[in-house]
């Protein structure tokens, strides 16, 4: 039996309705195959006390709710009031207590009434992004077993080998457009969190809904649980994932292969975003699938696009034409999936601008990892980092393994960019050395997440490197008061500025694969949003609510 109801989502704004449903102004009724409490327990259809009496009759709800009908707007105001009073009541308490309390109240709403959840999320994205996304999402992942109440998304484990093709049909939605997939092996800068990493696909997909208007009924967060090498989790009796070491080699790849085949059999046009895979699998899976499936790796490719937009903005901030990008010296600290992704894309752009002279482009870029400057002298060099290794004769005065301080002191780079996952790598000494940069407006990007893993804080960057810098960080920091009415602007250099657009653009264009050219265009488009005035004020990216 099915019944008609005004869809809960008819409470969304007109423009959103158009985006979600492509309908005209009058909300279309939606067909519900449920009745009574089943509707109240389905967050997609549930309107809480908002069901009008006629609908309560039609849907078998009469008597199951308190008699008074509370409008969507009233419910919205009530939620925001309780959120604001929570903020007031937790003032002065530790960050983890406050932000987890905020996450809980939002998550409960998400579980109960999706329409209201996405409405408040979209309207208040600037306030809520740090809760559903970095940094709080990191804390949520770390505490996932304790916070777990209801599952969200799908879980495919090593135990499901051979079953995935049928399992994928257990997902209730007919159509899925956007999937974010993780194996939990490198969650932000927090390392291997196993099954607890599911918080990341959930948060990323919320950003897809809020920022790109993707229909929330057509998103799917996925955890591929192939075990964990995190000893603490393996010993935790409440850990919810497989208690076994991670699969490796062909065994691992056969699980990912099976998942990709299953997804694309059921939803051939679905886009899969790979997220927070440890480096070796991030690169391997990207090469393995990018020509066969519509997929991309956000950490390698999304991050690179946002960084490139930031680098182009930095050139403009110095009052130089974009063509001057070819003269910028760039030091990247962190040679993992994100750092190498950024260097690859920056070199592609530099080389295009310098008449396809890749060598000249590479000469301008320097790469460091946990053992310092990477040179050709490095023993057991990672093949992915090898193309960026410096010949010692080209870095006179520096040695293999030189520290960030030595490198900055010697090279006086225009840009210092951190994707190391280690908090405090840009210490006082390194930041002070940036004062001697060859640039009139040196750029410091402390892009590692969450906040405690940032290479430096915004306050330290402006304090030690001087007020004239351009600053970006992966997780949000408050703008810095520089005195005399001056403000040091903090840019959130985070791939969230690109991935929702990459997914939406791919979906709308019907592209079968995601090419480097598409990503390059996305980065240049992001850079072009900013006016000269904004750029002069050190603002490289639009405000999140734009
Ligand atoms: N802002 C953003 O949009 C993004 C930020 N990230 C962040 O970047 C960080 C790294 O991510 P991945 O590259 O995927 O990790 P990864 O584990 O693949 O690479 C980390 C790299 O940092 C190096 N490293 C470790 N300790 C170091 C130290 N003390 N000094 C210098 N280098 C050091 C390692 O040798 C390795 O090369 C994470 O914190 C992640 O949250 C990643 C993607 C996007
Ligand atoms: C932002 C992001 O994707 C990361 O930190 O891994
Ligand atoms: Mg990531």
């Amino acid at each position: 039996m099915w019944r008609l109801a005004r869809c809960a989502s008819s409470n969304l704004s007109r423009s959103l309705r158009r985006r979600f449903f492509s309908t005209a102004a009058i909300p279309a009724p939606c067909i519900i195959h449920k009745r009574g409490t089943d509707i109240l327990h389905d967050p997609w259809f549930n309107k809480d006390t908002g069901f009008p009496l006629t609908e309560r009759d039609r849907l078998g709800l009469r008597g199951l709710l308190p008699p008074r009908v509370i409008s969507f707007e009233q419910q919205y105001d009530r939620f925001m009031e309780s959120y604001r009073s929570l903020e007031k009541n937790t003032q002065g308490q530790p960050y983890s207590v406050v932000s987890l309390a905020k996450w809980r109240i939002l998550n409960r709403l998400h579980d109960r009434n999706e329409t209201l959840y996405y409405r408040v999320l979209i309207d208040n994205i600037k306030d809520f992004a740090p809760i559903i996304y970095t940094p709080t999402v990191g804390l949520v992942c770390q505490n996932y077993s304790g916070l777990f109440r209801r599952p969200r998304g799908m879980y495919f484990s090593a135990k499901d080998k051979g079953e995935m093709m049928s399992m994928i049909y257990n997902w209730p939605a007919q159509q899925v457009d956007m999937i974010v997939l993780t194996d939990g092996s490198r969650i932000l800068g927090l390392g291997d969190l196993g099954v607890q990493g599911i918080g990341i696909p959930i948060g990323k997909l919320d950003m897809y809904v809020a920022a790109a208007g993707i229909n929330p009924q057509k998103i799917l967060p996925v955890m591929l649980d192939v075990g964990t090498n995190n000893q603490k989790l393996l010993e935790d009796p409440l850990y919810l994932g497989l208690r076994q070491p991670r699969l490796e080699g062909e065994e691992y790849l056969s699980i990912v292969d099976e998942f990709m085949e299953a997804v694309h059999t059921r939803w051939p046009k679905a886009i899969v975003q790979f997220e927070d895979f440890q480096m070796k699998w991030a690169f391997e899976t990207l090469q393995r699938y990018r020509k066969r499936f519509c997929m991309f790796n956000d950490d390698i490719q999304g991050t690179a696009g946002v960084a490139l937009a930031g680098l182009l903005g930095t050139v403009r901030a110095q009052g130089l034409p974009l063509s001057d990008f070819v003269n910028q010296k760039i030091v990247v600290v962190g040679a993992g999936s994100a750092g190498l992704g950024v260097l690859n894309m920056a070199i592609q752009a530099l080389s295009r601008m310098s008449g396809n002279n890749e060598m000249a482009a590479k000469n301008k870029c320097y790469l460091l990892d946990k053992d310092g400057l990477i040179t050709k002298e490095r023993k057991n060099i990672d093949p992915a980092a090898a193309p960026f290794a410096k010949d010692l004769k080209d870095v006179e005065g520096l040695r293999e393994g030189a520290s960030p301080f030595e490198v900055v002191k010697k090279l006086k780079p225009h840009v210092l960019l951190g994707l190391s996952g280690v908090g405090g790598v840009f210490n006082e000494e390194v930041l002070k050395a940036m004062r001697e940069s060859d640039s009139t407006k040196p750029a410091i990007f402390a892009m590692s997440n969450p906040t405690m893993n940032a290479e430096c804080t915004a306050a330290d960057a402006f304090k030690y490197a001087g007020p004239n810098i351009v600053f970006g960080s992966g997780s949000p920091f408050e703008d810095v008061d520089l005195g005399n009415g001056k403000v040091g602007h903090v840019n959130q250099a985070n791939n969230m500025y690109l991935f929702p657009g990459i997914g939406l653009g791919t979906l709308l264009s019907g592209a079968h694969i995601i090419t480097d050219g598409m990503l390059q265009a996305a980065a240049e488009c992001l850079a072009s949003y900013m006016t000269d005035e904004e750029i002069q004020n050190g603002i490289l990216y639009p405000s999140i609510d734009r």
Side-chain angles (χ1 to χ4, degrees):
M1 172 180 293
W2 57 268
R3 276 151 212 279
L4 287 178
R6 248 186 88 196
C7 185
S9 307
S10 65
N11 288 316
L12 294 172
S13 73
R14 190 175 299 186
S15 69
L16 270 172
R17 240 182 289 135
R18 238 182 273 131
R19 279 201 274 164
F20 283 178
F21 304 108
S22 321
T23 60
I26 299 170
C30 62
I31 296 169
I32 303 182
H33 298 269
K34 295 183 173 181
R35 219 180 128 70
T37 45
D38 284 348
I39 294 174
L40 297 181
H41 293 155
D42 183 332
W44 182 253
F45 295 118
N46 181 30
K47 298 184 199 176
D48 288 317
T49 46
F51 287 100
L53 293 179
T54 48
E55 265 182 22
R56 293 184 187 196
D57 277 340
R58 279 207 303 282
L59 302 174
L61 293 171
R62 207 156 177 133
L64 300 182
L65 288 160
R68 173 110 187 274
V69 177
I70 304 286
S71 71
F72 184 79
E73 290 71 24
Q74 286 171 304
Q75 290 182 35
Y76 181 104
D77 291 343
R78 189 176 56 186
F79 177 82
M80 288 311 295
E81 223 170 86
S82 44
Y83 188 84
R84 296 293 173 221
S85 59
L86 173 94
E87 256 177 346
K88 230 160 84 201
N89 297 338
T90 50
Q91 247 171 19
Q93 293 192 33
Y95 151 77
S96 57
V97 174
V98 179
S99 53
L100 278 183
K102 289 179 175 176
W103 178 84
R104 268 197 208 92
I105 178 173
L106 275 165
N107 189 53
R108 279 202 299 267
L109 181 62
H110 198 180
D111 283 347
R112 198 177 70 237
N113 183 337
E114 293 227 11
T115 311
L116 187 55
Y117 172 72
Y118 284 115
R119 181 74 270 164
V120 297
L121 182 64
I122 290 163
D123 286 356
N124 302 279
I125 187 66
K126 204 165 174 209
D127 281 354
F128 291 167
I131 307 299
I132 58 146
Y133 193 61
T134 184
T136 305
V137 72
L139 206 55
V140 170
C141 291
Q142 287 176 306
N143 294 285
Y144 175 78
S145 302
L147 292 169
F148 181 86
R149 294 292 176 276
R150 292 175 60 147
R152 180 169 293 280
M154 286 194 84
Y155 302 77
F156 293 83
S157 90
K159 298 259 183 296
D160 297 319
K161 196 161 166 41
E163 302 297 329
M164 293 186 197
M165 195 60 89
S166 57
M167 282 168 72
I168 198 82
Y169 288 88
N170 290 343
W171 186 247
Q174 286 303 307
Q175 183 58 40
V176 164
D177 289 337
M178 197 65 230
I179 290 172
V180 177
L181 171 74
T182 189
D183 68 354
S185 54
R186 192 286 278 147
I187 294 298
L188 305 176
L190 303 169
D192 181 351
L193 294 184
V195 80
Q196 309 200 154
I198 184 71
I200 291 290
I202 294 170
K204 294 263 174 188
L205 284 163
D206 271 354
M207 295 301 279
Y208 267 101
V209 176
I214 300 289
N215 183 340
Q217 270 193 314
K218 296 186 182 174
I219 60 175
L220 174 57
V222 177
M223 161 53 61
L224 218 48
D225 183 356
V226 294
T228 177
N229 295 339
N230 181 328
Q231 201 53 34
K232 214 169 136 208
L233 293 180
L234 288 171
E235 287 165 9
D236 178 355
L238 290 181
Y239 177 61
L240 294 169
L242 286 189
R243 293 172 84 182
Q244 66 174 52
R246 284 189 173 275
L247 294 185
E248 289 295 340
E250 282 307 314
E251 261 189 311
Y252 174 88
L253 284 172
S254 71
I255 296 284
V256 195
D257 283 350
E258 190 179 332
F259 169 78
M260 292 297 277
E261 291 293 345
V263 158
H264 288 94
T265 301
R266 181 162 183 204
W267 302 296
K269 292 183 177 162
I271 302 158
V272 182
Q273 170 171 327
F274 278 59
E275 191 69 51
D276 289 7
F277 283 69
Q278 59 180 307
M279 175 162 129
K280 64 176 174 182
W281 294 130
F283 282 112
E284 171 100 29
T285 50
L286 182 61
Q287 289 319 317
R288 194 172 179 93
Y289 302 124
R290 68 175 306 183
K291 298 223 165 92
R292 272 172 68 204
F293 299 113
C294 197
M295 59 81 66
F296 69 105
N297 183 295
D298 182 40
D299 299 293
I300 300 173
Q301 298 170 295
T303 314
V306 168
L308 178 58
L311 297 180
L312 295 174
T314 300
V315 179
R316 284 172 69 196
Q318 293 163 28
L320 298 168
L322 276 186
S323 54
D324 212 81
F325 186 37
V326 296
N327 296 320
Q328 304 274 309
K329 268 176 284 172
I330 302 169
V331 170
V332 174
V333 179
S337 49
L340 291 174
V342 169
L343 264 191
N344 269 316
M345 196 171 198
I347 286 169
Q348 274 176 31
L350 281 166
S351 118
R352 259 203 326 274
M353 287 179 176
S354 53
N356 288 327
N357 187 343
E358 195 178 299
M359 209 46 179
K362 273 190 183 149
N363 283 343
K364 292 278 169 195
C365 299
Y366 302 82
L367 181 63
L368 285 77
D369 68 1
K370 63 177 179 357
D371 300 318
L373 180 68
I374 301 180
T375 70
K376 296 210 160 107
E377 306 302 306
R378 177 72 61 99
K379 307 261 179 318
N380 302 324
I381 192 166
D382 190 312
F388 308 107
K390 285 277 174 263
D391 209 319
L392 271 184
K393 70 176 179 347
D394 295 332
V395 284
E396 215 180 297
L398 285 171
R399 57 181 176 93
E400 154 59 35
S403 71
F405 170 68
E406 291 170 301
V407 171
V408 170
K409 181 99 186 131
K410 179 75 197 161
L411 296 172
K412 307 184 191 323
H414 297 72
V415 178
L416 175 64
L417 189 150
L419 280 161
S420 65
V422 179
V425 166
F426 299 167
N427 56 24
E428 182 176 338
E429 193 182 40
V430 174
L431 292 171
K432 279 185 172 161
M434 278 301 282
R435 279 185 183 256
E436 308 300 318
S437 157
D438 282 341
S439 167
T440 51
K441 245 185 192 307
I444 296 171
F445 291 91
M447 288 180 72
S448 291
N449 297 312
T451 315
M452 65 181 178
N453 296 63
E455 284 73 11
C456 64
T457 64
D460 279 355
F462 284 99
K463 182 170 161 193
Y464 297 125
N468 209 26
I469 59 164
V470 175
F471 180 77
S473 55
S475 295
F477 282 98
E478 293 288 330
D479 284 348
V480 178
D481 182 355
L482 302 176
N484 296 330
K486 289 202 172 145
V487 171
H489 184 80
V490 174
N491 295 283
Q492 194 174 349
N494 190 295
N495 51 30
M496 71 178 175
Y497 278 111
L498 273 207
F499 66 76
I502 294 171
L504 180 65
T506 305
L507 192 63
L508 293 180
S509 65
H512 293 285
I513 56 166
I514 298 176
T515 63
D516 285 343
M518 288 158 77
L519 297 161
Q520 189 87 33
E524 284 167 13
C525 177
L526 176 60
S528 73
Y529 275 121
M530 309 313 293
T531 63
D532 285 339
E533 196 190 340
E534 287 168 320
I535 291 276
Q536 284 316 312
N537 289 323
I539 304 175
L540 304 177
Y541 306 109
S543 156
I544 293 172
D545 42 14
R546 251 175 79 196

